[in-house]
Amino acid sequence: MRVAVVAVGQAGGKITDALLRYERDSREDVVVDAVAVNTARADLLGLREVPPQNRVLIGGDRVKGHGAGADNELGAELARDDIDEVRDAVDAIPTSDVDAFLVVAALGGGTGSGGAPVICRELRRIYEEPVFALGVLPARDEGGIYTLNAARSLQTVVEHADATLLYDNAAGRESGESLAGGYTRVNEAIARRLGVLFSAGEATDPSPEKVVDASEIINTLGRSGGVASLGYATAPLERKRGIFGGRKPVSEDPLETTTRVSATVRRAALGNLTLPCELRDVERALVVVSGPPETLSRKGVEDARAWLEETTGTPEVRGGDYPLRDTDHLAAVVLLGGVTEAPRLRELRAAAVEAQRNVAAIAERADLSGGIWDAEGVEPLF
């Protein structure tokens, strides 16, 4: 699956940088092109992988390149005012090579939180390709304003994106980790998951036994404004290096190979999701297993797919493999689409309502299509 990425705000730019580094280091080709949009000039200058000509400064006349702070209403307004500049940058991407757009942003700040829904809406208005959002939820200790911003932004972006893949910073933080180190690790983790998922449909040498193509990823995410989560797990492999470099294939017992594949998929689905949720609360799923050809078991993939089908209670479970010659681990990615319930979203909704009351904001019921995000007392951005 090949995507055009539009990064919005500081976090969106850093995640996109990480995805482009992953693509370069793994010698994959899944990002057709990337555009970075920001109200802060310094954030754009700090990017390393997004080409300079693809960096768009918006709101220059009003905020003078200093950013929108934590004001996502301002971020949305600046994106609307300068949407022509954003559209011109995206128009330069050869859309004949694009399977989908991916708009990447943190939902708790100002520029990304406010601008991402505006850009999703504009892309869906113009292009036939699906527009997916990748939204990062703030950690619990980031403060009430970030929680309220995220609630309002999420309520808006799910209406204007075909589907929204969420990453919960509250689940991704590790004890004793520095803020900068934590963000770097999170960005790399997101990039790795997306890289494995999107690369699956591009595998050619060696060819997969069961191909996962772009349409299967798109159908699993859905196109009705739903929420998605992405699981990831790895298992180490013992492979000897050959005389001329590289790693020698190893002969494995078929039962061991099948068991490893199934166990890795289960860990990805049960304990390492970007948005923790119960498997029975999803409508669709897709599993991709990546690793050396001799360690990939078609039976293992089918067993894992059958287990997901039984656990989720849905027949819409797809599966495939992605062979890689030069790797020392097996990796499994599980995409869960149409998430109908998640504890973190209930918690975020309640915290946002309380934060809005604390700032004397409007407390009216906001109706959202899809049912998962029905935030009483939280108003959308627009």
Side-chain angles (χ1 to χ4, degrees):
M1 177 168 168
R2 306 197 70 207
V3 297
V5 181
V6 182
V8 194
Q10 183 185 50
K14 289 184 178 297
I15 292 170
T16 301
D17 253 8
L19 179 58
L20 292 172
R21 276 195 303 274
Y22 175 90
E23 181 188 50
R24 181 193 64 210
D25 294 345
S26 60
R27 298 186 295 277
E28 300 294 347
D29 185 21
V30 296
V31 180
V32 176
D33 210 344
V35 171
V37 180
N38 212 317
T39 59
R41 183 177 287 106
D43 291 342
L44 290 175
L45 292 174
L47 297 176
R48 295 290 179 265
E49 307 295 335
V50 178
Q53 67 272 19
N54 289 7
R55 304 175 194 178
V56 181
L57 181 68
I58 60 174
D61 292 340
R62 293 185 56 183
V63 298
K64 312 300 180 185
H66 297 306
D71 187 344
N72 63 354
E73 288 190 1
L74 175 61
E77 188 175 339
L78 297 178
R80 284 195 298 267
D81 290 347
D82 288 349
I83 197 65
D84 289 347
E85 284 80 353
V86 178
R87 188 170 56 241
D88 288 346
V90 176
D91 282 345
I93 298 175
T95 53
S96 60
D97 298 330
V98 172
D99 295 310
F101 289 93
L102 182 67
V103 179
V104 184
L107 302 185
T111 302
S113 174
V118 174
I119 292 171
C120 285
R121 181 177 64 179
E122 183 69 5
L123 293 178
R124 286 184 83 191
R125 186 181 71 84
I126 296 174
Y127 296 100
E128 294 183 356
E129 291 78 10
V131 177
F132 300 121
L134 169 62
V136 179
L137 300 177
R140 294 180 179 89
D141 59 0
E142 291 188 47
I145 187 62
Y146 285 88
T147 298
L148 180 56
N149 282 351
R152 298 184 67 200
S153 181
L154 177 57
Q155 184 167 347
T156 313
V157 78
V158 294
E159 181 181 350
H160 295 290
D162 286 287
T164 302
L165 176 62
L166 292 177
Y167 185 95
D168 179 20
N169 256 337
R173 294 277 290 274
E174 293 183 356
S175 177
E177 190 173 47
S178 70
L179 197 61
Y183 286 146
T184 298
R185 183 186 54 77
V186 164
N187 295 342
E188 292 173 352
I190 293 173
R192 190 180 308 115
R193 293 170 192 238
L194 292 176
V196 174
L197 177 66
F198 293 151
S199 297
E202 302 299 314
T204 56
D205 182 28
S207 60
E209 292 191 34
K210 176 65 173 67
V211 176
V212 172
D213 60 27
S215 65
E216 291 181 295
I217 299 173
I218 291 169
N219 289 336
T220 303
L221 285 166
R223 301 193 66 168
S224 58
V227 167
S229 181
L230 189 60
Y232 179 79
T234 63
L237 301 171
E238 292 185 6
R239 309 185 73 209
K240 297 179 180 179
R241 287 195 171 274
I243 298 175
F244 300 103
R247 294 179 175 86
K248 294 175 63 176
V250 293
S251 177
E252 290 199 322
D253 176 76
L255 179 59
E256 179 184 356
T257 303
T258 298
T259 302
R260 184 195 297 117
V261 168
S262 297
T264 306
V265 170
R266 290 189 183 219
R267 286 194 291 113
L270 293 173
N272 201 10
L273 294 171
T274 57
L275 178 70
C277 62
E278 295 291 337
L279 294 183
R280 64 176 179 270
D281 294 326
V282 306
E283 297 176 353
R284 300 170 298 278
L286 179 146
V287 57
V288 175
V289 181
S290 171
E294 70 275 11
T295 66
L296 297 178
S297 163
R298 183 163 190 172
K299 184 178 187 310
V301 174
E302 286 303 312
D303 286 352
R305 190 196 60 76
W307 169 76
L308 269 174
E309 193 171 280
E310 179 182 357
T311 307
T312 59
T314 173
E316 287 194 64
V317 179
R318 303 165 175 89
D321 63 286
Y322 175 40
L324 292 172
R325 294 190 187 277
D326 193 25
T327 181
D328 57 5
H329 66 272
L330 184 84
V333 165
V334 176
L335 176 63
L336 305 177
V339 177
T340 58
E341 186 58 76
R344 179 67 175 124
L345 295 187
R346 289 199 306 269
E347 176 188 312
L348 186 72
R349 175 165 51 240
V353 171
E354 182 61 28
Q356 187 159 271
R357 286 175 183 153
N358 290 342
V359 295
I362 299 174
E364 296 178 347
R365 183 174 183 84
D367 190 25
L368 182 72
S369 61
I372 181 175
W373 188 251
D374 187 12
E376 182 176 357
V378 179
E379 60 178 1
L381 280 171
F382 53 84

